[in-house]
Amino acid sequence: MDRRKFIKEAGLATAASVVGLDIVFSSTLPENYIPLVKEPGNPYKLFGIDPEMTVLNNKPWNIEAKAHLLDDKITPNKYMFVRNNGLIPQGVDASKWELVIDGESVIRSKTYSLQELKTKFKQYSYQLTLECGGNGRSEFNPPAKGNQWTIGAVSCAKWTGVRLKDILEDVGVKEDAVYIGYHGADVHLSKDPEKETISRGVPMHKALQDETLLAFMMNDKDIPVAHGYPLRLIAGGWPASASGKWLNRISVRDKVHDGAKMKAPSYSVPCHAVAPGEKVKEEDMCIIESMPVKSLITYPKTGAMIEEGRKLEIRGHAWAGELEVAKMEYSIDFGATWKTCALERPVNRLAWQHFKAYIAFPKKGYYEVWARATDEKGVCQPMLVPGWNPKGYLNNASHRIAVKVN
């Protein structure tokens, strides 16, 4: 797909739809010029999301859920967090959409239509956990730059598509392949067609996992435009930045991909622990891969009130990147003692797991319910914000809610 042509056509389509009129003399517009018309501004109507969702940024759109909105076992579209780095492409025509597979390490480059992907290859569906690498950034001190996510930049939807490994087998991959990089149709904030908004990727071992999909459906419907319609890469268990939206090209590389936002400090953390606020050289940063063990209480809301003598039901989800969660616990005495929650197995690899417990409180008063998960390697969530890093990534501190017993 010609990026310049796409951006111009998308800009014209957006402008015309907003003003409700044809753009007079559009044929004489300078190349790559986008008219000065305001973009739509109501994210709830634009994206079909719930009014309780929290908007952190509108240039680009970044929107998170509150904990209680994530109570469903499969995250509904209306509660899916929105994480964008640039402008959402407009005027997308799925019937003309193409995906190019190229790069130094493909045996033969190839272009697929969306229809070819859907009909030529077997389709698979998985529930896959996606979490922004910066989820929980607002708790770091000193503050870290970036959107100040609290706890709601996580989801586990049902994704349907074709396996990336099947596409790579079809084109053929050389033995020197190291990484795949994705490329999308989103528009750079500067609207410069020569600049890519984000172009990250994953190592070949992740690209070849069964659950790494080229997805075209989310929760049994076309992927919403805010989440990558009509085609998105899904690499569950890794930071959601590895799951490129509006996918129109994948490059198979003979080196670590060097696209936009692959260079430190983007989506990288210090390879070794550093003091809070310490400057870290780029060469001392490591790319984030599997996300850490984490959990979230989704019921009840913080601030819940219960009558003395009654038990409180709590429930939520736990996940651990590439690993499975082995144990889930809660505490009502600020971490002095812990009791076990009932924990379900994941429905498939890389899906979050659901937990539940019934809590008895000894007397009236104020309590906090703390939750912590332990992964299959014995790594447990920390009670406090973990090691500081310049971009505020990977905060997996224990989630907690306030409860008043009357």
Side-chain angles (χ1 to χ4, degrees):
M1 183 178 295
D2 186 294
R3 189 171 176 84
R4 287 179 179 270
K5 181 180 178 183
F6 181 91
I7 292 174
K8 182 174 181 179
E9 290 179 350
L12 293 176
T14 302
S17 65
V18 172
V19 301
L21 298 168
D22 290 333
I23 300 175
V24 181
F25 303 124
S26 61
S27 62
T28 64
L29 282 172
E31 186 178 4
N32 303 320
Y33 179 77
I34 297 177
L36 300 173
V37 61
K38 290 185 178 179
E39 295 180 351
N42 186 333
Y44 308 107
K45 291 183 178 179
L46 274 175
F47 308 138
I49 59 176
D50 192 272
E52 282 198 81
M53 297 283 281
T54 301
V55 177
L56 300 182
N57 196 349
N58 66 350
K59 290 185 178 180
W61 289 110
N62 288 284
I63 305 168
E64 70 172 341
K66 297 178 175 67
H68 69 276
L69 299 179
L70 296 172
D71 194 43
D72 297 271
K73 289 189 174 183
I74 299 176
T75 308
N77 295 8
K78 64 181 178 178
Y79 297 142
M80 285 279 295
F81 76 97
V82 176
R83 170 67 177 113
N84 290 330
N85 288 270
L87 304 176
I88 296 173
Q90 303 293 321
V92 172
D93 185 347
S95 67
K96 297 179 181 178
W97 197 266
E98 292 182 332
L99 174 69
V100 176
I101 309 292
D102 63 9
E104 309 96 337
S105 294
V106 292
I107 293 174
R108 52 191 174 276
S109 297
K110 199 165 183 178
T111 300
Y112 301 90
S113 69
L114 188 60
Q115 187 62 20
E116 285 176 322
L117 291 175
K118 291 180 177 180
T119 57
K120 184 175 179 178
F121 301 94
K122 184 179 177 180
Q123 296 184 18
Y124 296 83
S125 294
Y126 299 104
Q127 293 176 31
L128 298 169
T129 306
L130 295 184
E131 182 181 14
C132 177
N135 197 24
R137 179 180 286 130
S138 61
E139 295 184 6
F140 278 95
N141 188 30
K145 292 182 180 180
N147 291 296
Q148 296 301 298
W149 303 102
T150 59
I151 44 77
V154 64
S155 66
C156 187
K158 176 186 176 184
W159 298 93
T160 301
V162 297
R163 300 187 303 192
L164 177 57
K165 66 186 287 186
D166 294 339
I167 311 300
L168 296 179
E169 182 180 354
D170 193 56
V171 298
V173 175
K174 298 177 183 178
E175 292 184 358
D176 65 355
V178 172
Y179 232 82
I180 64 100
Y182 67 73
H183 308 267
D186 43 339
V187 181
H188 196 273
L189 289 175
S190 67
K191 298 185 179 178
D192 182 346
E194 297 301 324
K195 292 183 178 180
E196 276 196 294
T197 300
I198 183 170
S199 176
R200 292 181 49 75
V202 295
M204 291 306 298
H205 70 84
K206 181 65 175 175
L208 296 175
Q209 287 181 356
D210 286 348
E211 301 83 7
T212 300
L213 296 180
L214 304 184
F216 35 77
M217 297 184 75
M218 186 175 97
N219 293 333
D220 298 320
K221 295 182 179 180
D222 287 344
I223 296 176
V225 65
H227 299 293
Y229 175 81
L231 189 66
R232 179 176 183 175
L233 175 66
I234 299 292
W238 287 38
S241 60
S243 298
K245 301 179 181 180
W246 310 290
L247 188 70
N248 58 20
R249 180 180 156 221
I250 288 180
S251 51
V252 184
R253 311 300 310 275
D254 60 3
K255 60 183 178 182
V256 174
H257 184 53
D258 54 2
K261 297 190 181 294
M262 276 298 298
K263 187 177 180 181
S266 294
Y267 303 104
S268 300
V269 294
C271 299
H272 305 286
V274 299
E278 183 178 329
K279 291 185 178 180
V280 184
K281 296 179 181 179
E282 290 183 2
E283 58 267 31
D284 294 329
M285 303 280 276
C286 291
I287 297 170
I288 299 169
E289 294 189 346
S290 179
M291 294 292 284
V293 62
K294 197 169 182 178
S295 60
L296 183 67
I297 301 170
T298 59
Y299 180 86
K301 292 183 186 180
T302 188
M305 291 186 286
I306 187 173
E307 293 180 3
E308 185 181 15
R310 295 188 61 184
K311 286 188 175 182
L312 175 70
E313 177 188 354
I314 64 165
R315 57 179 181 257
H317 316 295
W319 59 97
E322 290 278 348
L323 302 177
E324 191 170 315
V325 176
K327 183 170 63 174
M328 189 69 214
E329 300 168 290
Y330 73 87
S331 174
I332 61 170
D333 55 11
F334 303 102
T337 61
W338 294 88
K339 293 186 178 180
T340 303
C341 301
L343 177 67
E344 296 180 19
R345 294 288 306 278
V347 297
N348 55 251
R349 207 177 75 84
L350 308 181
W352 63 17
Q353 298 166 239
H354 318 298
F355 67 84
K356 183 182 291 187
Y358 294 90
I359 302 176
F361 298 93
K363 62 180 183 179
K364 294 181 180 180
Y366 171 84
Y367 295 86
E368 290 185 7
V369 179
W370 293 11
R372 73 177 184 186
T374 301
D375 70 24
E376 60 187 299
K377 291 187 175 180
V379 177
C380 182
Q381 280 184 263
M383 291 300 96
L384 302 175
V385 178
W388 184 89
N389 62 84
K391 295 287 283 184
Y393 293 126
L394 306 186
N395 178 6
N396 67 330
S398 171
H399 186 223
R400 54 206 73 185
I401 61 169
V403 176
K404 183 178 180 182
V405 178
N406 295 311

